[in-house]
């Protein structure tokens, strides 16, 4: 796992944007795995800004989002479809026909989950998967105790996730209780992963992911099994790590090392 610790939130976002932009420039027909959540918003804003400045085009890109809430139609204000349109797709030349998310309002959500997995395979898999992390160590909506061999399926959200999502909905009742999410094995099949975690509230989960045992209790720890994973942290999210000196030594200021 490549652990890059940046001095500030802003620097961490710029570093993550550099990696995504480099991927799109290197292969204009690449397939990106996209994530949602508050952490991704400034990253998407930075990418949209760079696109508008002419740094890269997304016309050749295919994307697959990690997850969507069961029961929400694409035009629901709390849906990840809406989030992606507002945060990235509408601000770039991303072709909407190749921007995939699970359909939250599918009549048969289980069949939709299986079909989504098949669509990723048919597209040739994901080149770069973006990830955030939940305070309980979840990636996508793979909550603690999710099978490390799991595929795209329906997950029941934990109380802590419902609580974290409450701010996006008007009433408690509206907060979705289920999501269709890529599984952990689905995520691990991406050719490269890039996880961004910012702030003190993510420090414990980041430490468990990077330095804890590989365990379904911290689904993000499964990334220890992935040979091409980069984790970008700001100082606050890195504050509970034990080997901080080593990470700074290998990647001073979050830069590449001499051999990577
Ligand atoms: C949701 C998403 C995750 C995301 C997490 C953290 O649960 N499904 O993909 O990583 O939120 O969100 P935030 O960045 O707002 O802390």
């Amino acid at each position: 796992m490549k652990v890059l610790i940046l001095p500030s939130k802003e620097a961490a976002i710029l570093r993550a944007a550099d990696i995504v932009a480099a991927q799109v420039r290197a292969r204009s027909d690449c397939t990106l795995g996209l994530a949602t959540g508050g952490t991704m918003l400034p990253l998407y804003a930075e990418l949209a800004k760079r696109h508008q400045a002419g740094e890269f085009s997304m016309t050749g890109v295919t994307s697959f989002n990690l997850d969507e809430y069961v029961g929400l139609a694409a035009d629901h204000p709390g849906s990840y479809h809406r989030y992606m349109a507002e945060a990235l797709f509408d601000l770039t030349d991303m072709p909407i026909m190749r921007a995939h998310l699970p359909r939250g309002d599918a009549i048969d959500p289980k069949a939709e989950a299986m079909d989504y997995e098949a669509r990723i395979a048919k597209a040739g898999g994901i080149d770069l998967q973006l990830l955030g992390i939940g305070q309980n160590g979840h990636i996508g909506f793979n909550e603690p105790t999710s099978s490390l061999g799991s595929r795209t399926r329906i997950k029941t959200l934990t109380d802590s996730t419902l609580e974290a999502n409450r701010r996006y909905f008007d009433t408690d009742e509206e907060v979705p209780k289920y999501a269709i999410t890529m599984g952990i094995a689905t995520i691990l099949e991406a050719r490269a992963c890039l996880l961004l975690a910012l702030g003190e509230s993510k420090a414990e989960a980041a430490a468990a992911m990077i330095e804890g045992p590989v365990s379904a209790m911290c689904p993000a720890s499964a990334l220890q099994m992935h040979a091409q994973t980069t984790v970008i942290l700001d100082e606050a999210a890195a504050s509970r790590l034990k080997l901080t000196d080593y990470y700074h030594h290998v990647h001073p200021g979050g830069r590449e090392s001499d051999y990577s």
Side-chain angles (χ1 to χ4, degrees):
M1 208 179 255
K2 191 190 284 187
V3 180
L4 308 181
I5 303 172
L6 279 294
S8 66
K9 180 182 164 195
E10 292 72 24
I13 289 157
L14 295 178
R15 189 74 177 84
D18 287 346
I19 294 174
V20 180
Q23 167 72 59
V24 177
R25 274 198 304 267
R27 267 216 27 223
S28 58
D29 62 344
C30 68
T31 298
L32 298 178
L34 299 176
T36 47
T39 309
M40 294 295 139
L41 288 172
L43 172 59
Y44 292 146
E46 177 62 24
L47 289 170
K49 190 172 125 198
R50 293 185 188 197
H51 159 75
Q52 285 155 16
E55 277 190 40
F56 60 86
S57 162
M58 298 188 76
T59 47
V61 172
T62 297
S63 70
F64 286 92
N65 263 78
L66 283 166
D67 44 20
E68 179 57 286
Y69 295 112
V70 170
L72 297 198
D75 62 355
H76 188 288
S79 75
Y80 284 163
H81 279 78
R82 261 295 267 284
Y83 169 109
M84 287 309 304
E86 287 169 6
L88 185 68
F89 299 154
D90 290 354
L91 308 178
T92 64
D93 56 356
M94 178 74 202
I96 228 58
M97 294 301 289
R98 286 205 304 275
H100 305 269
L101 289 97
R103 277 177 297 139
D105 60 348
I107 293 166
D108 183 348
K110 268 182 156 173
E112 170 65 11
M114 284 171 66
D115 183 60
Y116 196 68
E117 182 84 24
R119 277 151 69 196
I120 296 171
K122 200 169 163 219
I126 289 167
D127 293 306
L128 177 64
Q129 176 66 58
L130 280 180
L131 296 162
I133 186 169
Q135 288 180 30
N136 62 6
H138 75 225
I139 45 175
F141 271 129
N142 294 284
E143 298 282 30
T145 73
S146 286
S147 162
L148 302 187
S150 53
R151 295 283 167 184
T152 306
R153 69 213 181 290
I154 299 169
K155 281 299 290 181
T156 305
L157 305 180
T158 60
D159 284 346
S160 74
T161 300
L162 298 183
E163 177 69 30
N165 290 343
R166 176 65 181 81
R167 62 197 151 129
Y168 299 115
F169 297 88
D170 291 338
T171 64
D172 285 347
E173 292 65 42
E174 277 181 73
V175 183
K177 296 179 177 52
Y178 302 93
I180 298 176
T181 180
M182 281 188 205
I184 295 175
T186 319
I187 293 168
L188 293 181
E189 270 176 12
R191 285 178 273 282
C193 292
L194 174 62
L195 187 142
L196 178 62
L198 304 172
E200 171 65 32
S201 68
K202 299 296 172 70
E204 202 174 316
M209 162 178 68
I210 297 165
E211 296 177 342
V214 174
S215 163
M217 283 301 282
C218 176
S221 67
L223 293 166
Q224 292 177 30
M225 305 293 291
H226 192 289
Q228 297 295 336
T229 288
T230 301
V231 176
I232 297 183
L233 306 170
D234 63 357
E235 293 279 1
S239 60
R240 303 285 281 267
L241 293 170
K242 292 197 180 74
L243 300 186
T244 319
D245 289 348
Y246 179 66
Y247 309 131
H248 281 305
H249 175 61
V250 181
H251 297 288
R255 291 188 295 280
E256 291 301 311
S257 73
D258 292 342
Y259 294 101
S260 62

